[in-house]
Amino acid sequence: MNNNKEHGYMPNDLLPPVRNREANSTNRLSRLDIQRASTDIKRFIEHRLEEDLGLVKHTTPLAMCAGTGVNDELDGTKSKSSVKFIVPNQDIPRGLKIDEDHLPKSAYEMNCEVVQSLAKWKRLMLDRLGCQVGEGIYCDSTSIRKGYKGDVTHSVIADQWDYEIRISEEDRTVDKLKEFVRTLWKIITDCEDYIIEKYPTILLDGHPSANKRLPKEITFITSQKLHEKYPNKNPHTKENAIVREFGAVFIIGMGWPLPDGVPEE
């Protein structure tokens, strides 16, 4: 791979340098151990979400009925629209020569779409489950996002945790937001310690990355302050710059228009 070649989606200074390839965990662990470690990470974090935040794991939907407004349309563009399919909801005869186009249409046919995000769905579920203040759910969701180009930060398959917790109106503050972020960040850094202890060969002795760890504290900055700090950088390069400075950063106010009219991504 020529690291001097532009890759279209991101400038080269945001891509991992070739020199770090040898330190990649996929080169340090066997393929089977990579699966073991991935499972250990999921178990660790799920346990801590339950212990530290009091969340309950909920089964994740794979698809939803189209047109309900529950599925997330992401940025609303056609390329990032959800993958759609039809559920006939009728008995179809078996056989290779069956022409389904000539079968009568069921009155119960459903137009469905693959989940892209559970943001709205989780809030509906808090109400349906009767969650009180301090109660909530988390999901290990898998979604298809066909509009994304695969790179170091994106994939057409999104495998992520989603969580939602009911809070009181008085707690809808930036301070409460920071409290949740710090709790989640401690779970992540504790998980790093756990995995390194269990799989010490994941580190490459002598490589500069072997001594690097996630910072124990996370830095907060608003999108406005970030814009003021790096006024001449685009969203990707200024976020990269702030992380290089502090190691871990939570940006408050993402999506709000900035003075130049461009919202922070």
Side-chain angles (χ1 to χ4, degrees):
M1 175 178 172
N2 182 0
N3 215 44
N4 293 320
K5 181 181 179 182
E6 288 292 340
H7 293 272
Y9 187 79
M10 284 187 175
N12 286 327
D13 61 346
L14 296 186
L15 294 170
V18 174
R19 66 178 181 276
N20 283 345
R21 274 195 192 170
E22 61 182 355
N24 192 295
S25 62
T26 56
N27 293 332
R28 307 304 303 162
L29 300 179
S30 69
R31 291 185 176 182
L32 197 57
D33 276 343
I34 289 173
Q35 298 306 310
R36 291 189 179 105
S38 297
T39 300
D40 285 338
I41 289 171
K42 288 200 168 189
R43 287 174 176 166
F44 182 96
I45 290 182
E46 289 186 357
H47 172 72
R48 290 289 296 273
L49 287 174
E50 294 170 7
E51 290 294 314
D52 296 14
L53 291 174
L55 302 176
V56 175
K57 187 173 184 179
H58 195 287
T59 303
T60 306
L62 297 176
M64 299 175 179
C65 288
T68 62
V70 177
N71 203 4
D72 199 317
E73 293 299 329
L74 302 180
D75 63 6
T77 60
K78 183 178 179 180
S79 64
K80 293 186 175 66
S81 62
S82 57
V83 175
K84 295 176 172 55
F85 62 96
I86 294 175
V87 177
N89 218 4
Q90 63 176 313
D91 291 327
I92 298 177
R94 297 179 63 183
L96 297 177
K97 295 184 179 181
I98 297 297
D99 186 354
E100 296 183 31
D101 292 335
H102 290 83
L103 293 176
K105 184 176 180 179
S106 170
Y108 303 102
E109 179 179 285
M110 296 186 295
N111 292 309
C112 298
E113 52 191 24
V114 176
V115 167
Q116 294 201 116
S117 167
L118 297 177
K120 300 174 184 176
W121 176 87
K122 296 194 308 289
R123 292 161 194 164
L124 292 173
M125 291 308 298
L126 289 189
D127 184 63
R128 180 173 295 183
L129 295 169
C131 292
Q132 303 301 307
V133 171
E135 296 180 326
I137 61 173
Y138 75 92
C139 303
D140 182 5
S141 68
T142 302
S143 56
I144 299 175
R145 296 180 176 178
K146 62 180 177 60
Y148 284 122
K149 175 184 177 183
D151 56 33
V152 294
T153 59
H154 293 87
S155 170
V156 294
I157 302 297
D159 182 3
Q160 64 187 32
W161 282 287
D162 286 274
Y163 90 94
E164 195 84 15
I165 188 168
R166 188 181 292 279
I167 61 174
S168 64
E169 190 170 351
E170 310 86 74
D171 277 338
R172 295 175 187 173
T173 64
V174 173
D175 286 340
K176 190 65 176 180
L177 171 66
K178 291 180 178 180
E179 180 183 323
F180 278 118
V181 172
R182 290 190 180 102
T183 298
L184 292 169
W185 185 247
K186 188 171 192 316
I187 293 173
I188 292 171
T189 55
D190 286 352
C191 185
E192 179 188 50
D193 295 338
Y194 164 70
I195 290 297
I196 289 175
E197 180 179 359
K198 187 167 184 178
Y199 301 93
T201 57
I202 201 171
L203 301 176
L204 180 59
D205 290 339
H207 192 275
S209 64
N211 297 319
K212 291 183 178 180
R213 298 290 184 277
L214 295 172
K216 296 302 182 183
E217 299 296 326
I218 191 165
T219 298
F220 295 91
I221 190 170
T222 64
S223 57
Q224 176 63 42
K225 292 293 184 183
L226 182 63
H227 179 76
E228 294 171 0
K229 187 176 180 66
Y230 305 106
N232 299 319
K233 293 182 180 292
N234 64 42
H236 288 304
T237 54
K238 63 186 174 186
E239 289 169 13
N240 195 56
I242 192 74
V243 169
R244 282 178 174 168
E245 182 176 351
F246 294 102
V249 179
F250 184 87
I251 303 173
I252 300 171
M254 298 281 279
W256 286 101
L258 298 173
D260 58 6
V262 179
E264 179 67 28
E265 289 189 0

